[in-house]
Amino acid sequence: MTVGARTAGRRIAFFAGAAVLLLIGVVLSAGIGQLPIGPAEVVGSLLRAVGVPNAWAPSDALVEQTLWQIRFPRVVMSLLVGALLAIAGAVMQAIFANPLAEPGVVGVSSGSAVGAALAITFGVTAIGSWATAAFAFAFGLVTTLVVYATARAQGRTETVTLLLTGIAVNAFAGAALALLMFVGDSSSREQIVFWQLGSMNGSRWPEALVVCVVGVVCAAGAIALGRQYDLLALGDRTAAHLGVRVERLRIASIVFVALLTAVSVAFAGIIAFVGLVVPHIVRMLLGPSARTLLPASLLGGAIMLVYADLLARTLIVSADLPIGILTSLVGGPFFYWLIRRNRRRSGGWA
């Protein structure tokens, strides 16, 4: 068997296995809860919704209401947020040529946290229950654009300058967040802390629709740039000689990352490490080609978060564990292992 045939076989096996895992995760997540619902009823309800009459569909109105008003919106939100954070991480690693890069380094998450804290602390209700999400989205996007604008010099953006600017802006945002928590009352502080931990609790269809629309457009745009990311991996100068407009590619990529991350964080809070862990695992399984890595990360992120949300709902009886705690418990040790592994391979940092 040739190398190309083995690679194609590995990709087919990955996507087939991932699709099965995703389907199992969706059925389990929709069925397990305070009101247990069997897998047949979950599948039957979905089939009936798309116009396929079947004997599995639940006849109890309470079961149907639980599925379509509580469980399915939450499952869809977890799939979307996981997928968008993972592909945003893959894009960041592609444009920085560094497997340790993730969306947080350009200030999206910290900016969103400041926006959400502002809305919570000052009780902004101009647009009702969407105020916190809207502020989080706007501040995340603006922070990223500020980081990028201040990192540019003489018409170009150096990766190191961009990362260092991101660190500085993240530190400033952290101080602003602490100040808002200081001036807020105890109720506001509790809401800010809980928001930062991330949760899918209370997800609704209108919110999932907003995340879906923004996410599909940006993810499709990022996947379309896959070939250019592969050329960029050869180095800026070589990529430019091969026809890649490097600066324009970086600008488009950072806009995609900002939108993908901001819309996810706005509705689900800060969920760390998905954008770091998932692309790296996929890269180890399928290789570094961005044309495969991006869609595979999309699928991998959805799988990771649907199972993480299931654990968050079921690990502690009658309690909803913030999902950011679970992803950090996995991502933290993995990040440490990644640093040690890269250091060992490179023979040290200095």
Side-chain angles (χ1 to χ4, degrees), residues 27-262:
V27 172
L28 288 176
S29 190
I32 296 176
Q34 288 186 341
L35 175 64
I37 302 173
E41 288 183 297
V42 173
V43 176
S45 183
L46 287 171
L47 290 175
R48 184 166 61 188
V50 296
V52 180
N54 63 91
W56 296 343
S59 56
D60 189 336
L62 178 62
V63 171
E64 194 74 351
Q65 192 176 16
T66 301
L67 283 175
W68 288 97
Q69 292 188 11
I70 300 173
R71 302 272 177 84
F72 284 149
R74 181 166 183 154
V75 171
V76 170
M77 184 64 90
S78 63
L79 294 174
L80 289 169
V81 170
L84 302 194
L85 290 176
I87 196 171
V91 171
M92 286 291 290
Q93 293 170 13
I95 60 174
F96 289 132
N98 189 329
L100 303 180
E102 60 111 15
V105 301
V106 289
V108 188
S109 300
S110 57
S112 294
V114 172
L118 270 172
I120 293 170
T121 301
F122 294 105
V124 178
T125 57
I127 48 177
S129 60
W130 292 74
T132 302
F135 268 61
F137 178 79
F139 273 73
L141 197 58
V142 168
T143 304
T144 306
L145 296 178
V146 168
V147 168
Y148 186 77
T150 52
R152 282 176 65 83
Q154 299 177 343
R156 58 191 292 266
T157 309
E158 292 178 341
T159 300
V160 174
T161 307
L162 186 67
L163 293 175
L164 292 176
T165 306
I167 291 171
V169 171
N170 276 326
F172 178 79
L177 184 62
L179 179 62
L180 288 168
M181 293 176 70
F182 177 77
V183 300
D185 56 23
S186 57
S187 173
S188 299
R189 281 194 287 273
E190 285 181 12
Q191 288 185 57
I192 293 169
V193 169
F194 188 77
W195 184 88
Q196 287 188 88
L197 294 175
S199 176
M200 300 296 165
N201 190 19
S203 298
R204 298 172 298 172
W205 285 119
E207 297 167 350
L209 180 62
V210 172
V211 178
C212 183
V213 171
V214 177
V216 166
V217 172
C218 296
I223 290 172
L225 296 174
R227 182 177 176 277
Q228 296 190 51
Y229 292 139
D230 286 337
L231 295 176
L232 190 64
L234 302 173
D236 287 9
R237 184 171 298 180
T238 304
H241 283 307
L242 292 172
V244 177
R245 303 182 72 169
V246 175
E247 195 60 23
R248 180 180 292 184
L249 176 62
R250 285 213 167 95
I251 293 173
S253 301
I254 288 177
V255 169
F256 285 147
V257 168
L259 288 170
L260 288 165
T261 309

